[in-house]
Amino acid sequence: MLREEIKGEHMSETYKQMWQELGLDLNAHDMLLNVLGKAYQDIYLAQKNRPSGMGYFDFVMSEVHGLRIKELMDEKAAGRKIIGAYCVFVPEEIVKAADATLVGLCAGADFATDEAEKLLPRNTCALIKSAFGFKLGKVCPYIESSDMIVGENTCDGKKKAYESLKNLIPNLYVMDMPQMKSAEGRSLLKAEYFRFMEAVEKLTGIKIDAARLKKGIAIVNNKRKAIHRLMALRKAKPAPISGLDALLANQVFFYDDSVRFTDSVNKICDELEKRVEQKQGVFPANTPRILLSGCPMAVPNWKLPWIIETSGAVIVGEESCVGERGNRNLTDDSGNTVEQLMDAMIDRYFKIDCAVFTPNSDRLNHIEEMAKTYQADGVIHYGLQFCQPYLMEAIPVEKALESKNIPTLRIDTDYSMEDMGQLKTRVEAFVEVLK
Ligand code: BJ8
């Protein structure tokens, strides 16, 4: 049914015209939606025992290039701006303070890879390649509707890739990033956040004062609080929701209208609270519980979670930027001046323990803490091939966890489906050990 909604007769002429006006390649775009619809059907709709509140997310996904883009175009027509980003270090609070909308641009699927590899070395991670592929293949309405796109100097791959991406995206704004959690590093982040605020003010024509910043912080804090509620419920045994569904909520976090998203996640939590009370799980109570840790998984990167949850295990938490690493901290909104509120925001973002930082012991501590609080039986570390920061950290992470008797499986993969069989065999063997 979803496929029809995405692609078939319900695809209105309005959407087609909208995509055309955005400069999309309609044939290629149609092909992408076909693949996405089929994958969603096979992976998401085939699940059993889903909370009924997930119906909202099914709808969002069926309209992710339709209704949501129409909403963004309406916002633009009303004079508001759209800002696209590739990293959780881009502060949404500042964007919201200027009545603008932030959308996530990372893509979790291969597209136009041959074209991307004319501009990037083959040994570039799939996440960066797909960012190029979606632009070169003209299939991403989010990129095309953005008035400003923010890149950030995190890993070397992204940092250098933005130099080439600038030729394809003239409205690319690059934010510098610290590499160490030092006083100097914090000062750099602070200077960059103030520079970003100025750029947003210039783009929107809105001067950001303390009241606006407070409002932006409140909107984003509420969104994160709803996600915290969802995460807390997943600590229950048996787990009340699948990891796939929880991942979807974390992915939609980056696209949906903030207030509507917050309400929708809270509704699911109301439902899950009842499940937890009744000790009702999405899978049987003795299903091995997995903590997934590593690189972020952007839509529609569902390959590894799907393999895990069709191999007899349930994912109970994500140590990931599309997950707890990206969302765990709130911003203190008690300040009364722009300076105080910005300082609170910088404190909040400076705690993100991305693997681009050195040293990065906070991340290891967080993985251990999550494994404990989510009652995980094992950890699966997910690294994208050619992602040096996360692949480098994977080895000490595995050693440290194993030394604490937490079984760990290290997976390096990409977005292709070629290694599905091999991955499934490895995950099944790992789950067997956990039983
Ligand atoms: S804060 S994790 S969202 S940078 S997978 S492009 S690291 S080579 S995505 Fe990330 Fe921000 Fe960090 Fe989070 Fe490079 Fe690795 Fe590719 Fe990566």
Side-chain angles (χ1 to χ4, degrees), residues 274-414:
K274 293 201 186 90
R275 283 191 176 193
V276 171
E277 251 171 55
Q278 293 160 5
K279 295 209 173 302
Q280 191 194 339
V282 67
F283 298 117
N286 58 354
T287 305
R289 298 163 66 89
I290 301 287
L291 174 72
L292 202 51
S293 167
C295 290
M297 290 177 173
V299 170
N301 181 2
W302 304 309
K303 178 171 85 168
L304 186 58
W306 180 77
I307 289 175
I308 295 170
E309 295 201 326
T310 53
S311 300
V314 58
I315 299 163
V316 290
E318 297 79 22
E319 189 279 317
S320 161
C321 284
V322 184
E324 198 163 303
R325 187 189 316 125
N327 272 325
R328 74 175 146 145
N329 297 306
L330 299 176
T331 302
D332 175 3
D333 63 354
S334 60
N336 290 316
T337 63
V338 168
E339 181 76 23
Q340 286 167 347
L341 292 164
M342 286 289 278
D343 261 323
M345 257 177 48
I346 291 147
D347 286 342
R348 187 253 162 221
Y349 280 90
F350 207 46
K351 288 187 194 132
I352 298 174
D353 42 20
C354 171
V356 299
F357 283 93
T358 183
N360 195 30
S361 51
D362 284 355
R363 178 168 170 245
L364 176 58
N365 297 338
H366 185 218
I367 299 170
E368 287 177 0
E369 178 209 306
M370 281 186 80
K372 206 167 148 198
T373 55
Y374 286 83
Q375 308 188 61
D377 299 302
V379 174
I380 296 187
H381 190 283
Y382 160 73
L384 271 176
Q385 274 166 14
F386 311 121
C387 168
Q388 285 182 352
Y390 283 91
L391 294 182
M392 289 266 187
E393 282 198 359
I395 297 167
V397 163
E398 181 186 40
K399 281 199 175 126
L401 293 176
E402 296 273 357
S403 75
K404 300 209 162 150
N405 295 322
I406 304 171
T408 305
L409 176 67
R410 242 183 326 127
I411 300 271
D412 305 350
T413 184
D414 56 15

Side-chain angles (χ1 to χ4, degrees), residues 87-89 125 128 154-155 158 295-296 321 325 354 384 387 390:
C87 177
V88 296
F89 267 102
C125 86
I128 297 174
T154 42
C155 64
K158 277 185 170 178
C295 290
C321 284
R325 187 189 316 125
C354 171
L384 271 176
C387 168
Y390 283 91

Side-chain angles (χ1 to χ4, degrees), residues 173-176 190-200:
Y173 171 99
V174 178
M175 183 184 277
D176 202 9
K190 183 170 179 174
E192 282 299 295
Y193 277 13
F194 272 99
R195 187 170 73 89
F196 178 62
M197 187 164 74
E198 269 174 37
V200 172

Side-chain angles (χ1 to χ4, degrees), residues 16-285:
K16 261 196 186 166
Q17 199 188 330
M18 177 177 77
W19 295 332
Q20 211 148 23
E21 282 167 10
L22 283 170
L24 298 192
D25 176 334
L26 289 188
N27 287 336
H29 184 245
D30 203 26
M31 213 169 76
L32 176 74
L33 290 193
N34 251 320
V35 175
L36 177 65
K38 170 89 173 71
Y40 199 81
Q41 179 94 43
D42 295 347
I43 296 173
Y44 274 90
L45 302 184
Q47 293 181 97
K48 295 203 173 68
N49 205 7
R50 300 176 77 208
S52 60
M54 285 310 294
Y56 170 74
F57 290 92
D58 293 341
F59 175 71
V60 169
M61 285 309 293
S62 72
E63 287 289 344
V64 74
H65 281 200
L67 190 59
R68 184 63 189 134
I69 300 301
K70 169 85 176 56
E71 288 177 345
L72 297 183
M73 300 315 285
D74 290 347
E75 285 186 33
K76 282 162 76 85
R80 297 171 61 172
K81 301 292 181 191
I82 311 299
I83 298 178
Y86 293 104
C87 177
V88 296
F89 267 102
V90 178
E92 188 173 3
E93 294 85 344
I94 291 178
V95 175
K96 286 278 170 215
D99 290 339
T101 295
L102 188 77
V103 290
L105 296 179
C106 279
D110 289 332
F111 205 89
T113 306
D114 291 350
E115 289 305 304
E117 285 179 356
K118 287 180 190 158
L119 301 174
L120 297 165
R122 289 194 69 194
N123 56 352
T124 303
C125 86
L127 205 138
I128 297 174
K129 265 191 214 168
S130 77
F132 275 63
F134 273 64
K135 176 65 193 168
L136 292 163
K138 300 183 185 153
V139 290
C140 179
Y142 291 93
I143 295 178
E144 306 308 334
S145 55
S146 293
D147 298 291
M148 171 186 187
I149 291 180
V150 188
E152 23 46 63
N153 290 342
T154 42
C155 64
D156 282 355
K158 277 185 170 178
K159 188 165 62 188
K160 298 306 286 182
Y162 292 135
E163 292 173 12
S164 306
L165 196 63
K166 180 92 183 144
N167 298 325
L168 307 174
I169 301 177
N171 55 349
L172 183 75
Y173 171 99
V174 178
M175 183 184 277
D176 202 9
M177 283 286 303
Q179 307 274 292
M180 293 180 86
K181 299 278 176 80
S182 56
E184 292 77 12
R186 192 185 179 284
S187 302
L188 172 60
L189 192 66
K190 183 170 179 174
E192 282 299 295
Y193 277 13
F194 272 99
R195 187 170 73 89
F196 178 62
M197 187 164 74
E198 269 174 37
V200 172
E201 287 178 335
K202 195 166 158 216
L203 178 78
T204 58
I206 288 176
K207 179 83 193 139
I208 298 176
D209 57 17
R212 282 185 164 275
L213 204 48
K214 243 184 192 323
K215 184 192 77 178
I217 291 172
I219 295 170
V220 182
N221 272 351
N222 284 340
K223 195 157 86 150
R224 293 200 174 111
K225 278 183 202 161
I227 285 285
H228 291 177
R229 220 184 132 199
L230 177 63
M231 299 310 147
L233 286 159
R234 296 170 73 198
K235 291 175 182 166
K237 234 178 184 175
I241 184 169
S242 69
L244 274 166
D245 277 340
L247 173 65
L248 190 69
N250 274 301
Q251 290 174 332
V252 169
F253 180 97
F254 295 96
Y255 299 92
D256 201 9
D257 171 80
S258 303
V259 176
R260 190 172 58 202
F261 174 85
T262 304
D263 289 349
S264 308
V265 173
N266 277 322
K267 272 198 194 112
I268 293 185
C269 292
D270 294 342
E271 202 181 334
L272 297 186
E273 267 167 13
K274 293 201 186 90
R275 283 191 176 193
V276 171
E277 251 171 55
Q278 293 160 5
K279 295 209 173 302
Q280 191 194 339
V282 67
F283 298 117

